[in-house]
C-alpha cells in the first residue's frame, strides 16, 4: 500500500520533531511511541508528541518525511511515506467556498512532478455556515472551477491519481486514528472527548474515581445492553442481519434485541448531549433491547457461555509523563504525572467475579516495530516483559443525575448499568507500556480487551493544578521569552526566581542585567539567582514576565526558574533551552492588544515584537490566517491570508457593534525583515475587547449604635475602562431604613451623586442590626458611563463592641468593608499605636487595600502599618475597603498590635487572622432578563441582558438539534448584535453561559 506526502511550508527535520508532530490545526496522533524506523541515520518514533491534543487554532502541520524500514530477517527495504492530516482546510471549507490561494502556497509549492501531492477535503459539507445545497451547488463547483483553470493544480480522483502514479509493491503505510476538528469542545482531540468527557478533577487534573459526566454514564448503559444482546445471540445460535434491520413476527427475540440495541450507538446522541431528549435515547433503546434479550435468556435457564462486556479501556492522563493541553486543561500546557489510571466499564448478566488490569513494558527496542508483533499479542515474546496484574477497583456507577444538572431530565432510567472499574499504573518512566483489561464472570467466561499502548514520558508534573509554560516553546537567543504562570496562590506579590547556565552543566548563574525584566532584583541582595515580580495586566488569572532577548555579551545555554509564591515556593524547577545558532530569519512573539467595544484599534510597529540576528530591520508582517471575529482591514480593505502588509499604522481592527471578549479575536502572522526574510514560526495576535462601562461590586460598611456614617470613596469598588476614573454613583433605590443624605438632603432614586464623601447615613436612635439597611446604586465614570450592573450597599449598625480585639463583619466576604476594633486596652496610645498587618500570610497588600496614612514597615514591607481612626473612650478602629480588587485576591488579613516601637501584642504568638471568603455566587440568569429584538430575525437582532448582577458570558448559537453553530464571547457586555449570515430559516437556540456563576440559560430565536 502507499501514501501520498502533502508537505506544508513549516518544514522541519526529523532531528527537530518526531513523526506526525502537529501544530494546533493538525490532527495529531495519540502520544504513543510506535514504529521505530531509520532515516538519514537518525532513530525516531511515531507519535511521541507534546500532547496538545489537536486544539484548533493555527492551520499547518509540520513537513512530513519519507523514511525507510529494513527487515533485519530478510534484508527487504520498505519505504514508509508519512502523511500529515491537516484538519484546517476541511474545517474552513465547511464554512463556504474555499479559495485555492493557501493550497498553492502551502501544498502545491512543495509538491514534485514525479510524485505530486494529492489533497482531499473531508467533512460533512453541512457544518457551520456551509449549508447543504449551497455547499454542493456553489462552493464545490466554485472551488473546482478555480482549481481547473489554475496551472499548478489538477482536479482528479483517487483512482485516476493511482493510475497515473503506480504504487511500488513494497511501499508501506501506517494509518493512525484521529479526531474531528469541528466537534465543539473537542477540536480534534484524539480521544473524542466530546463523546466521552473524561473522569478527572478540573482543579488537580488527576483522575477522579467519583466523577460523573452524562456521556460517560451513557456508555455504562450501552455496555450493559451489549452483554444482554450478545448473550441472547449466543443462546439463539446466531442472528440474521436482515431480521435485525427489518424484524418481523417470525424474527427471534435475539434479533429483536439487536434491532433495538444498535441505535444506542448513534453518535449524535452523545454529541448533542443535553439537547431535547438526547440524554435518554440510549436508555430507551437499551431497555427495549433488554426486554427481548431477557425473553431469550429465560428460554435457556442456567446456560451462560457469554463473557462479560468490557468497554474500550480509557486512560487518564492520556499523555503521562509529558505535556497535556486542550479543553480539559483550560487550553494551558500542563506537565502530567507519570502515573496513570486505566478505567473501563464492565457488565455481565450473571455478574462479574474479577476485573484485572494487565500491563508490561518494552524491554527491547522501546517501540512497536513493524518487524515483529510482540507488543500486539497476548503471548508477547523477546523484547517485552511478563504481564503484571493489578486488581481493579469497582464502583457502582450512578444511573441518575448524580450532579443535579438542571439541564438533564432522566425521565426514563436504565434497566441495567455497567460498573466502573479502574486501576493505576505507577513507577514507570521513559518506557513503552502495553496494557489490557481482563474480566471474568461468575460462570468462568473471560473477556480480554484489545491491547493498548502508551509511551510514559520522563517528565513528572504532578503537583495538582500547577500550570507553567513559556512562549516561544523553543526560543532562540533573539527571542523575547514570556513565562506564564497559572497557579493557585500566585498573585502580584509572587515572583519568578531564575538564573542561567552558560554551559549545559551550569545552573542558576547570574544573568546580565540587559536580560532582566523591569523590577528584577538580586535574590537576597547578592544573587546569583534573581527574582522578577509577576504581573497580570488583563486580570485573567495568568501571571507572566518577559525576559530577553538573550543575544548580548553573555552566551546563555539555558534558563532555570521556579516560582516564589510568597511566602511559599512551588517546589518544581523548570529549564528553558536557548538556541544560540538560529538561521538569519527574524523572530517575533505572540502578542495581545486591548480595546474598548464599538471602537477601532490602529496597530503600530510596537505591537509586533521583532528580533533579527542578521541586523535587519522590521519590514511588516505576512498574514497567515485571517481574523476569527470582527473586521481586520488594511487601508480600509479586508486583509487576505498569505499577503504581506508593510505599514502597521494602516492595519486596523473593528469588532462588531456591542461585542466583547477576552480575547475577542485572533489572527496569525509571520514577521518580515528588510532583507525579505520571514520568520520560521507563525505567531498569534490576540485582541481583547472590553465593555466601555465601569464595573463596581456589592459592598458593606459598619457603624456604631447612634453613630452617623460618612462614606468614603474606598467604600465603592470601581474599575474604569480606557483610563476612566471614579465619578460617583447613581442611586437606584433609596435606603430601606434610617436616613441617607447628601449634603444634609435626602437622596432621591435615579439621581447622580458625584462626591460620595458628602453621603452620610444616620441610623434611627437606638436602632441596630446586621444588616440594618441597604440601598442600591450604579457606579459612574469620568466619561459619563454607568455600570451595567446595579450593586447593593449593606449598612451594619453594631449595638456594642466587646473588650479586646474584634472585627466586623465576623465572617467577611470579599465585598465587605472590614473594621478592626481594639477596646479597653490600656496599652493603646492615640499617638504611637499602629496596626501592623499584611495579607495572605503576611504578604504585601496592594495600595488599593491600604487605608489612608498607611506606610510600609521599615519602608520596604512586606508588612504595612496603619494609624487607628479617631480613637476615643478606649475604642480604636481601622476600616479596610472591600478586598475585591482584581489585581490581588485576598484569603486572610493578618495583623498584630504595635503599641509603640518597643511594645507589641502578637496574640500570644498566634497573631490575628481574618479569613476573607469569596463573595457569594450569582443566581442563574432568568429568561425574563433576556430581550431579543427583533425576534423573529430577518437579518440582524440585538440581544439585551437585563441582569442586575455582574456576569461574564459566552453565547452559543445552536440549531434545534443542539448542534453548536457559533460561539461568541461577550464578557460583561449587556448588549450584543448577532447577524444571520447565511443561516437558513428556522428555529435556533441561544445559550448564555456565565463563567462566574457557572450557570446557563437558553432562549429560542426564530430566523425568517
Amino acid at each position: 500500500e502507499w501514501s501520498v506526502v502533502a508537505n506544508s511550508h513549516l518544514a522541519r527535520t526529523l532531528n527537530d520533531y518526531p513523526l506526525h508532530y502537529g501544530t494546533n490545526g493538525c490532527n495529531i496522533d495519540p502520544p504513543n511511541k510506535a514504529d521505530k524506523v531509520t532515516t538519514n541515520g537518525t532513530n525516531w518514533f511515531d507519535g511521541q508528541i507534546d500532547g496538545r491534543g489537536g486544539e484548533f487554532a493555527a492551520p499547518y502541520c509540520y513537513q512530513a518525511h519519507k523514511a525507510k524500514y529494513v527487515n533485519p530477517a530478510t534484508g527487504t527495504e520498505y519505504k514508509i511515506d508519512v502523511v500529515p492530516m491537516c484538519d484546517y482546510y476541511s474545517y474552513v471549507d465547511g464554512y463556504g467556498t474555499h479559495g485555492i490561494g493557501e493550497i498553492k502556497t502551502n501544498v502545491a509549492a512543495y509538491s514534485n512532478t514525479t510524485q505530486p501531492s494529492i489533497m482531499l477535503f473531508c467533512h460533512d459539507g453541512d457544518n457551520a455556515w456551509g449549508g447543504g445545497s449551497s455547499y454542493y451547488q456553489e462552493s464545490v463547483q466554485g472551488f473546482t472551477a478555480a482549481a481547473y483553470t489554475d496551472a499548478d493544480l489538477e482536479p482528479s480522483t483517487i483512482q485516476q491519481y493511482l493510475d497515473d502514479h503506480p504504487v511500488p509493491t513494497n511501499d508501506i503505510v501506517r494509518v493512525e486514528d484521529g479526531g474531528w476538528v469541528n466537534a465543539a469542545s473537542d477540536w480534534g482531540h484524539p480521544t473524542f472527548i466530546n463523546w466521552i468527557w473524561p473522569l478527572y478533577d478540573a482543579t488537580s487534573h488527576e483522575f477522579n474515581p467519583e466523577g460523573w459526566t452524562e456521556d460517560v454514564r451513557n456508555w455504562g448503559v450501552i455496555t450493559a445492553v451489549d452483554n444482554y444482546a450478545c448473550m441472547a445471540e449466543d443462546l439463539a445460535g446466531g442472528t440474521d442481519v436482515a431480521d435485525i434491520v427489518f424484524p418481523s413476527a417470525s424474527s427471534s427475540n435475539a434479533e429483536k434485541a439487536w434491532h433495538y440495541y444498535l441505535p444506542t450507538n448513534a453518535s449524535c446522541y452523545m454529541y448533542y448531549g443535553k439537547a431535547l431528549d438526547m440524554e435518554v435515547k440510549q436508555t430507551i433503546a437499551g431497555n427495549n433491547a433488554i426486554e427481548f434479550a431477557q425473553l431469550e435468556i429465560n428460554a435457556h435457564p442456567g446456560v451462560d457461555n457469554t463473557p462479560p462486556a468490557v468497554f474500550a479501556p480509557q486512560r487518564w492522563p492520556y499523555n503521562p509523563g509529558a505535556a497535556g493541553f486542550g479543553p480539559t486543561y483550560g487550553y494551558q500546557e500542563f506537565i502530567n504525572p507519570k502515573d496513570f489510571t486505566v478505567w473501563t466499564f464492565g457488565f455481565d448478566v450473571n455478574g462479574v467475579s474479577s476485573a484485572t488490569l494487565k500491563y508490561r513494558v518494552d524491554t527491547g527496542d522501546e517501540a512497536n516495530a513493524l518487524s515483529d508483533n510482540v507488543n500486539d499479542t497476548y503471548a508477547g515474546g523477546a523484547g517485552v516483559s511478563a504481564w503484571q496484574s493489578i486488581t481493579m477497583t469497582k464502583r457502582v456507577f450512578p444511573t441518575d443525575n448524580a450532579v443535579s444538572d438542571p439541564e438533564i431530565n432522566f425521565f426514563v432510567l436504565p434497566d441495567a448499568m455497567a460498573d466502573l472499574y479502574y486501576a493505576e499504573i505507577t513507577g514507570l518512566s521513559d518506557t513503552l507500556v502495553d496494557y489490557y483489561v481482563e474480566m471474568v464472570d461468575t460462570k468462568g467466561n473471560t473477556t480480554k480487551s484489545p491491547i493498548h499502548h502508551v509511551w510514559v514520558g520522563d517528565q513528572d508534573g504532578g503537583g495538582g493544578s500547577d500550570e507553567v509554560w513559556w512562549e516561544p516553546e523553543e526560543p532562540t537567543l533573539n527571542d523575547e521569552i514570556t513565562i506564564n504562570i497559572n497557579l493557585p496562590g500566585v498573585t502580584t506579590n509572587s515572583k519568578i526566581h531564575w538564573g542561567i547556565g552558560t554551559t549545559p552543566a551550569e545552573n542558576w548563574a547570574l544573568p546580565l542585567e540587559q536580560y532582566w525584566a523591569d523590577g528584577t532584583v538580586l535574590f537576597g541582595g547578592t544573587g546569583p539567582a534573581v527574582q522578577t515580580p509577576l504581573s497580570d495586566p488583563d486580570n485573567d488569572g495568568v501571571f507572566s514576565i518577559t525576559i530577553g532577548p538573550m543575544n548580548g555579551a553573555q552566551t546563555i545555554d539555558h534558563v532555570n526558574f521556579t516560582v516564589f509564591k510568597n511566602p511559599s515556593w512551588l517546589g518544581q524547577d523548570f529549564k528553558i533551552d536557548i538556541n544560540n545558532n538560529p538561521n538569519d530569519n527574524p523572530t517575533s512573539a505572540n502578542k495581545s492588544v486591548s480595546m474598548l467595544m464599538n471602537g477601532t484599534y490602529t496597530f503600530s510597529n510596537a505591537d509586533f515584537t521583532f528580533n533579527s540576528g542578521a541586523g535587519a530591520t522590521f519590514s511588516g508582517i505576512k498574514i497567515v490566517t485571517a481574523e476569527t471575529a470582527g473586521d481586520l482591514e488594511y487601508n480600509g480593505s479586508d486583509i487576505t491570508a498569505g499577503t504581506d502588509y508593510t505599514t502597521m499604522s494602516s492595519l486596523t481592527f473593528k469588532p462588531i457593534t456591542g461585542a466583547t471578549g477576552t480575547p475577542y479575536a485572533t489572527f496569525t502572522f509571520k514577521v518580515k525583515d528588510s532583507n525579505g526574510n520571514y520568520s520560521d514560526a507563525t505567531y498569534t495576535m490576540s485582541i481583547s475587547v472590553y465593555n466601555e462601562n465601569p464595573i463596581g461590586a456589592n459592598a458593606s460598611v459598619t457603624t456604631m449604635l447612634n453613630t452617623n456614617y460618612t462614606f468614603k470613596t474606598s467604600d465603592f469598588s470601581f474599575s474604569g475602562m480606557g483610563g476612566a476614573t471614579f465619578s460617583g454613583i447613581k442611586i437606584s433605590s433609596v435606603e430601606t431604613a434610617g436616613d441617607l443624605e447628601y449634603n444634609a438632603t435626602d437622596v432621591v432614586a435615579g439621581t447622580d451623586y458625584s462626591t460620595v464623601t458628602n453621603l452620610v447615613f444616620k441610623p434611627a436612635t437606638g436602632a441596630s442590626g446586621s444588616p440594618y439597611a441597604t440601598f442600591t446604586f450604579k457606579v459612574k465614570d469620568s466619561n459619563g458611563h454607568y455600570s451595567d450592573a446595579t450593586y447593593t450597599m449593606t449598612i451594619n449598625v453594631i449595638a456594642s463592641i466587646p473588650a479586646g480585639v474584634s472585627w466586623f463583619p465576623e465572617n467577611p466576604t470579599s465585598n465587605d468593608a472590614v473594621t478592626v476594633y481594639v477596646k479597653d486596652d490600656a496599652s493603646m496610645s492615640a499617638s504611637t499605636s499602629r496596626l501592623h498587618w499584611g495579607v495572605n500570610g503576611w504578604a504585601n497588600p496592594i495600595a488599593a487595600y491600604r487605608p489612608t496614612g498607611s506606610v510600609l514597615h521599615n519602608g520596604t514591607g512586606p508588612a504595612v502599618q496603619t494609624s487607628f481612626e479617631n480613637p476615643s473612650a478606649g475604642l480604636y478602629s481601622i476600616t479596610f475597603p472591600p478586598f475585591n480588587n482584581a489585581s490581588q485576591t485576598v484569603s486572610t488579613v493578618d495583623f498584630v498590635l504595635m503599641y509603640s516601637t518597643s511594645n507589641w501584642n502578637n496574640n500570644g504568638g498566634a497573631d490575628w487572622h481574618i479569613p476573607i471568603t469569596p463573595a457569594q455566587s450569582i443566581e442563574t440568569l432568568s429568561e425574563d432578563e433576556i430581550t431579543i429584538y427583533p425576534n423573529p430575525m430577518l437579518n440582524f437582532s440585538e440581544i439585551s441582558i437585563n441582569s442586575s448582577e455582574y456576569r461574564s458570558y459566552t453565547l452559543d448559537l445552536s440549531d434545534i438539534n443542539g448542534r453548536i453553530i457559533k460561539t461568541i464571547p461577550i464578557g460583561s457586555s449587556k448588549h450584543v448584535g448577532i447577524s444571520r449570515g447565511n443561516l437558513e430559516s428556522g428555529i435556533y437556540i441561544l445559550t448564555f453561559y456565565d463563567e462566574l456563576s457557572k450557570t446557563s440559560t437558553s432562549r429560542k430565536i426564530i430566523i425568517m
Side-chain angles (χ1 to χ4, degrees), residues 926-937:
S926 63
E927 290 192 21
D928 58 8
E929 292 178 296
I930 302 170
T931 302
I932 305 171
Y933 182 82
N935 188 10
M937 174 203 293

Side-chain angles (χ1 to χ4, degrees), residues 868-879:
F868 287 89
E869 302 166 0
N870 303 319
S872 62
L875 180 64
Y876 295 78
S877 67
I878 288 176
T879 298

Side-chain angles (χ1 to χ4, degrees), residues 903-968:
N903 189 12
W904 297 71
N905 181 349
N906 65 357
N907 192 26
D911 301 342
W912 283 276
H913 307 279
I914 306 174
I916 307 295
T917 60
Q920 292 182 352
S921 60
I922 305 167
E923 295 183 356
T924 304
L925 180 69
S926 63
E927 290 192 21
D928 58 8
E929 292 178 296
I930 302 170
T931 302
I932 305 171
Y933 182 82
N935 188 10
M937 174 203 293
L938 291 176
N939 295 303
F940 183 88
S941 289
E942 182 175 276
I943 302 166
S944 299
I945 303 170
N946 307 308
S947 170
S948 61
E949 301 283 359
Y950 173 67
R951 303 173 186 266
S952 179
Y953 297 104
T954 297
L955 175 61
D956 286 339
L957 173 67
S958 309
D959 63 19
I960 194 62
N961 294 316
R963 179 175 54 185
I964 297 177
I965 297 170
K966 189 174 186 180
T967 297
I968 306 171

Side-chain angles (χ1 to χ4, degrees), residues 697-703 709 711 715-716 735-737 761 769-777 791-797 808-809 813 815-818 882:
N698 296 332
S700 72
V701 296
T702 302
T703 188
Y709 184 86
F711 283 90
D715 292 333
F716 299 90
E735 70 277 16
T736 57
F761 179 78
S770 301
Y772 170 72
T774 62
F775 65 88
T776 62
F777 63 95
Y791 306 104
T792 299
M793 175 65 73
T794 299
I795 304 167
N796 303 300
V797 180
F808 195 87
T813 73
N815 284 337
D816 292 321
V818 182

Side-chain angles (χ1 to χ4, degrees), residues 842-853:
W842 291 101
N844 187 11
I846 60 174
Y849 295 149
R850 303 175 197 168
T852 302

Side-chain angles (χ1 to χ4, degrees), residues 113-384:
T113 56
T114 59
Q115 189 180 339
S117 299
I118 182 171
M119 186 168 183
L120 309 174
F121 287 143
C122 182
H123 58 75
D124 287 1
D126 192 23
N127 288 331
W129 303 98
S133 174
S134 63
Y135 174 77
Y136 289 106
Q137 299 302 320
E138 299 168 14
S139 298
V140 171
Q141 295 183 30
F143 173 81
T144 304
Y148 180 80
T149 58
D150 190 272
D152 296 327
L153 304 177
E154 179 182 354
S156 185
T157 65
I158 295 174
Q159 187 58 56
Q160 183 62 54
Y161 181 91
L162 296 176
D163 290 342
D164 293 340
H165 306 282
V167 181
T169 57
N170 65 341
D171 271 11
I172 294 175
V173 61
R174 181 186 180 96
V175 179
E176 301 275 352
D177 54 5
W180 176 23
V181 71
N182 197 26
S185 301
D186 182 306
W187 309 117
H189 198 280
T191 60
F192 283 76
I193 57 175
N194 198 57
W195 288 264
I196 180 169
W197 193 262
L199 299 176
Y200 76 105
D201 187 298
T203 300
S204 68
H205 298 304
E206 296 176 348
F207 175 74
N208 180 12
E210 297 302 313
W212 186 97
T213 64
E214 171 205 11
D215 47 5
V216 168
R217 176 258 193 195
N218 286 335
W219 284 115
V221 173
I222 293 171
T223 303
V225 179
D226 179 88
N227 190 247
Y228 270 96
C230 290
M231 185 173 180
E233 180 176 8
D234 290 344
L235 294 172
T239 55
D240 188 306
V241 172
D243 280 308
I244 292 175
V245 178
F246 300 108
S248 63
S250 61
S251 300
S252 70
N253 287 319
E255 288 160 341
K256 293 174 183 175
W258 273 97
H259 174 78
Y260 285 103
Y261 164 51
L262 290 177
T264 66
N265 286 266
S267 167
C268 54
Y269 297 167
M270 293 289 187
Y271 183 77
Y272 296 136
K274 305 170 189 177
L276 302 176
D277 60 347
M278 294 293 179
E279 71 274 13
V280 296
K281 289 187 174 182
Q282 297 94 334
T283 295
I284 294 172
N287 288 353
N288 290 336
I290 290 174
E291 178 182 351
F292 286 101
Q294 192 65 57
L295 293 174
E296 191 70 46
I297 294 170
N298 292 343
H300 301 80
V303 181
D304 181 1
N305 296 312
T306 305
V310 179
F311 181 60
Q314 309 291 305
R315 69 172 177 267
W316 185 267
Y318 188 71
N319 199 19
F325 195 72
T328 51
Y329 297 94
Y331 295 102
Q332 303 293 342
E333 187 168 276
F334 177 80
I335 304 302
N336 291 311
K338 291 182 274 191
D339 298 340
F340 65 99
T341 298
V342 176
W343 62 274
T344 186
F345 281 109
F347 182 87
D348 189 272
V349 171
N350 287 306
V352 173
S353 63
S354 68
T356 307
L357 174 61
K358 303 276 191 174
Y359 78 95
R360 67 189 175 199
V361 297
D362 193 299
T363 58
D365 56 4
E366 296 186 332
N368 188 3
L370 294 174
S371 58
D372 60 54
N373 62 0
V374 295
N375 294 96
D376 301 308
T377 63
Y378 300 112
V384 293

